[in-house]
Amino acid sequence: MRTRLLPLLIVLMAGVLLALGFPLAASTAASEQQRVVVDRLDDSARFAALAQFVSESRFAPDERRSLLSGELASYHEVYDIRAGIFYRDNRSMAAAPEDWVVPYDGEARRAFNEALLGRRSHDPSQVWPWQTDARLIVASPVVRDGDVVAVVVTDSPTGGLRSRILHDWLLIFAGEAAAMLLAVGAAFRLTGWVLRPVRVLDAVTHDIATGRMNSRVAATGGPPELRRLARSFNEMADHVEDVLDQQRAFVADASHQLRNPLAALLLRIELLALELPEDNEEIASVRTEGKRLAQVLDDLLDLALAEHTAADLRLTDIGALTAERVASWRPVADDKGVALAEETCALTAWADPVALSSALDAVIDNALKFTPAGEDVTVAVRLAPGGAAVEIEVADHGPGLTDEELERVGDRFWRSGRHQNVKGSGLGLSISRVLLAAGGGTIGYARNRPHGLRVTVTVPREDPRTGRDAP
């Protein structure tokens, strides 16, 4: 969620900064240019005052004309600004340099025509830093007896103006960059503050889903709405845990209470069998069903205990433990005529040895139960892809399961319709899954080629309590 929320906030803040930065940059450039224009207008007004009473005759001696020409020459020499005073018919009263004339088109002609109307150049075109050949034209009228008799025109280079504008823009850019960095930092803090309770809630939900029912959310940070959500989640988790505890207690109590009457019933059946012929089929059927019911009660009690007992995780040699369980089941396999092979190696992982042994017993027992004589069952230990877990694979060559049956295998009391006559309660693999889940392990099912079932038990190599990897 953070990867989606954070870019959205950054783009939004960048848009706001750009929306403020562009007008500010344009306003700064206009302000710098206006300052130059005002300075040129002051200069033009001074030249216009000197030119106000200069004679229009070019042949009559006039000290004002000479003074004006000297002022313009000095102005051009010092500031490198071309300046000239031109009559309405475009004749030059004085100019520096002397051969400079107002062109018949362009910005200078527009300013000249505007000044002929008695207006100063207050709005020359904006000069931008990338316009290397731009010039700043300012014109001011020379008024005599209420009439415009001439126009003062200044043509200034814009190198200094463009440099100042660029400098101001760099300062604005630096300010925008600093503001953006602060905004990004604030966005990280804000998203972290908002999403931290969500991450904690997600982690606690995963813990509860994997069997750690005592996990709870610490409702100490984040927005008030998320704190209320955390408190509500904790209340829901408490209620669910209470219900599950009651269910487990009921199953355990019911199983335990039923064992004594069932044992008494089986004893009476045995006493009754002594009074009847040994080959009585009804007594044999009742005895078989009674033993099956006793096995179901034992499995229910084991399942209730497995769900209620926390895993005792230890650094375990998975290869040695698997080899031990295979050795324990080899007499059963030999008696049935099934070849039980092992492919183990020394791999360590974090597991509850007792729970893992019980789970392996259930899986190997299931494989031997459905594998016909003359076939084989292989138990292999290997490192999972990526090295994050150890896999124990039990592959048999029995009848196997269909795709629909693979989706249901491991459910409580579920058995395939083709195997209803095989001894068992349908709880063995369910107990295995519960035992493995308590320690962070998993169990998976797949087809074995060309036929049979392949069961994969996965044990993590990382300690879920400390995050430490197994050597």
Side-chain angles (χ1 to χ4, degrees):
M1 183 181 292
R2 186 171 189 170
T3 57
R4 295 189 296 269
L5 182 59
L6 192 59
L8 179 63
L9 291 177
I10 291 177
V11 169
L12 181 61
M13 288 182 289
V16 171
L17 290 176
L18 290 176
L20 295 175
F22 279 112
L24 180 60
S27 176
T28 301
S31 177
E32 285 289 342
Q33 179 166 312
Q34 187 63 28
R35 189 170 62 84
V36 175
V37 169
V38 170
D39 183 68
R40 299 297 179 270
L41 288 175
D42 292 341
D43 295 341
S44 299
R46 184 169 63 86
F47 294 140
L50 293 175
Q52 189 174 8
F53 301 104
V54 174
S55 173
E56 294 190 17
S57 174
R58 297 181 57 87
F59 303 102
D62 193 337
E63 294 181 0
R64 293 189 180 90
R65 187 189 300 274
S66 300
L67 177 61
L68 183 59
S69 297
E71 287 287 338
L72 293 176
S74 300
Y75 187 70
H76 174 65
E77 182 179 354
V78 172
Y79 300 109
D80 194 27
I81 298 175
R82 294 184 294 189
I85 304 171
F86 304 93
Y87 293 110
R88 297 180 65 92
D89 58 1
N90 212 38
R91 289 183 299 111
S92 173
M93 178 187 298
E98 295 182 355
D99 58 347
W100 181 58
V101 295
V102 178
Y104 287 97
D105 55 6
E107 184 70 21
R109 175 56 60 177
R110 188 187 68 82
F112 183 85
N113 294 334
E114 185 178 4
L116 289 179
L117 300 176
R119 297 193 299 266
R120 292 183 176 183
S121 301
H122 293 292
D123 56 346
S125 299
Q126 179 64 50
V127 176
W128 304 108
W130 56 84
Q131 295 175 325
T132 56
D133 57 346
R135 309 283 295 185
L136 187 62
I137 309 296
V138 174
S140 182
V142 178
V143 181
R144 182 187 301 165
D145 297 331
D147 296 326
V148 178
V149 298
V151 174
V152 180
V153 181
T154 61
D155 183 359
S156 309
T158 59
L161 172 61
R162 289 184 287 107
S163 297
R164 289 192 299 272
I165 292 175
L166 183 59
H167 178 265
D168 292 342
W169 283 9
L170 291 176
L171 292 179
I172 293 174
F173 174 77
E176 293 263 327
M180 191 63 195
L181 291 177
L182 291 175
V184 170
F188 268 99
R189 294 295 299 273
L190 178 62
T191 54
W193 178 70
V194 171
L195 298 180
R196 187 179 297 110
V198 178
R199 291 196 299 270
V200 174
L201 183 62
D202 177 69
V204 173
T205 304
H206 176 73
D207 290 343
I208 293 177
T210 54
R212 292 186 284 273
M213 297 299 299
N214 59 342
S215 298
R216 293 295 182 271
V217 180
T220 57
E225 295 81 3
L226 291 180
R227 292 199 295 268
R228 288 197 298 271
L229 176 62
R231 289 192 292 269
S232 300
F233 179 85
N234 289 338
E235 294 174 359
M236 180 193 69
D238 291 338
H239 180 68
V240 171
E241 186 176 15
D242 291 341
V243 171
L244 291 178
D245 287 341
Q246 293 173 8
Q247 179 185 8
R248 296 189 191 104
F250 172 76
V251 172
D253 293 342
S255 302
H256 187 271
Q257 293 298 325
L258 287 174
R259 292 177 71 184
N260 291 334
L262 182 60
L265 179 61
L266 291 176
L267 180 59
R268 287 181 171 83
I269 292 174
E270 294 297 335
L271 293 175
L272 180 62
L274 295 176
E275 304 295 331
L276 298 174
E278 294 184 0
D279 58 349
N280 190 294
E281 296 182 358
E282 293 297 331
I283 289 296
S285 176
V286 171
R287 184 187 292 116
T288 301
E289 291 298 327
K291 291 181 179 179
R292 180 179 179 183
L293 181 58
Q295 182 64 41
V296 170
L297 291 178
D298 290 339
D299 289 344
L300 282 174
L301 186 58
D302 291 341
L303 180 61
L305 293 175
E307 291 178 337
H308 191 70
T309 305
D312 181 18
L313 296 181
R314 300 177 187 176
L315 193 59
T316 306
D317 187 341
I318 305 299
L321 187 146
T322 303
E324 177 187 340
R325 301 322 305 156
V326 170
S328 299
W329 284 95
R330 183 163 282 116
V332 178
D334 294 341
D335 183 65
K336 191 178 180 182
V338 175
L340 181 58
E342 63 174 282
E343 301 173 5
T344 60
C345 57
L347 289 173
T348 56
W350 290 94
D352 184 338
V354 176
L356 182 58
S357 297
S358 300
L360 287 177
D361 287 342
V363 174
I364 296 175
D365 177 38
N366 190 76
L368 294 176
K369 188 184 302 180
F370 292 100
T371 301
E375 296 288 352
D376 60 88
V377 174
T378 304
V379 182
V381 178
R382 60 173 178 267
L383 198 62
V390 175
E391 293 181 346
I392 308 170
E393 182 182 274
V394 180
D396 64 60
H397 290 86
L401 297 172
T402 64
D403 293 337
E404 293 77 8
E405 292 172 336
L406 283 174
E407 295 178 358
R408 296 202 58 190
V409 63
D411 292 348
R412 296 177 183 178
F413 297 107
W414 181 87
R415 304 186 72 188
S416 172
R418 297 175 290 135
H419 306 146
Q420 294 296 330
N421 59 340
V422 180
K423 180 182 177 181
S425 62
L427 287 174
L429 296 180
S430 300
I431 296 174
S432 300
R433 182 177 60 187
V434 173
L435 292 173
L436 292 170
T442 60
I443 183 169
Y445 309 93
R447 288 184 175 182
N448 189 32
R449 304 298 179 185
H451 58 84
L453 181 66
R454 186 170 67 252
V455 182
T456 304
V457 175
T458 303
V459 183
R461 302 191 69 243
E462 180 183 280
D463 188 349
R465 301 164 300 183
T466 62
R468 185 159 58 99
D469 288 336

